[in-house]
């Protein structure tokens, strides 16, 4: 078995295990890292930060907005 192949045990329909050799992980590891990858990583990071900010703001403002006198609304 070549060193780049990773054996995977998979249950078949008869519940017996068979070994499937795959070189996909090794091929993916050999792919070059490009500008597009950096853009995706940076975009995901910005999204993660903005999502955390939105949750924090919603939590802080939500409790205040529950009070009846906050927006000067009447119960009518």
């Amino acid at each position: 078995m070549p060193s780049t192949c990773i054996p995977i045990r998979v249950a078949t329909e008869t519940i017996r295990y068979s070994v499937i050799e795959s070189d996909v992980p090794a091929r993916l590891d050999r792919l070059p890292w490009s500008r597009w990858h950096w853009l995706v990583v940076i975009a995901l990071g910005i999204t993660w930060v903005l999502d955390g900010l939105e949750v924090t703001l919603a939590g802080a403002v939500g409790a205040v907005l529950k009070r009846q006198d906050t927006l000067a609304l009447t119960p009518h």
Side-chain angles (χ1 to χ4, degrees):
M1 177 169 35
S3 62
T4 59
C5 292
I6 300 172
I8 301 170
R9 292 183 66 185
V10 182
T12 58
E13 292 177 8
T14 59
I15 311 298
R16 288 182 293 186
Y17 286 97
S18 61
V19 176
I20 299 174
E21 294 180 6
S22 173
D23 62 344
V24 172
R27 291 176 63 192
L28 287 173
D29 285 340
R30 287 193 303 263
L31 290 174
W33 189 263
S34 68
R35 180 177 181 265
W36 182 85
H37 294 95
W38 282 114
L39 290 174
V40 170
V41 168
I42 290 170
L44 289 173
I46 291 170
T47 304
W48 181 53
V49 168
L50 291 176
D51 184 51
L53 179 65
E54 183 262 335
V55 169
T56 303
L57 288 174
V61 172
V64 175
L65 289 177
K66 283 185 178 179
R67 296 192 320 217
Q68 191 172 13
D69 63 334
T70 301
L71 298 176
L73 299 176
T74 59
H76 305 315

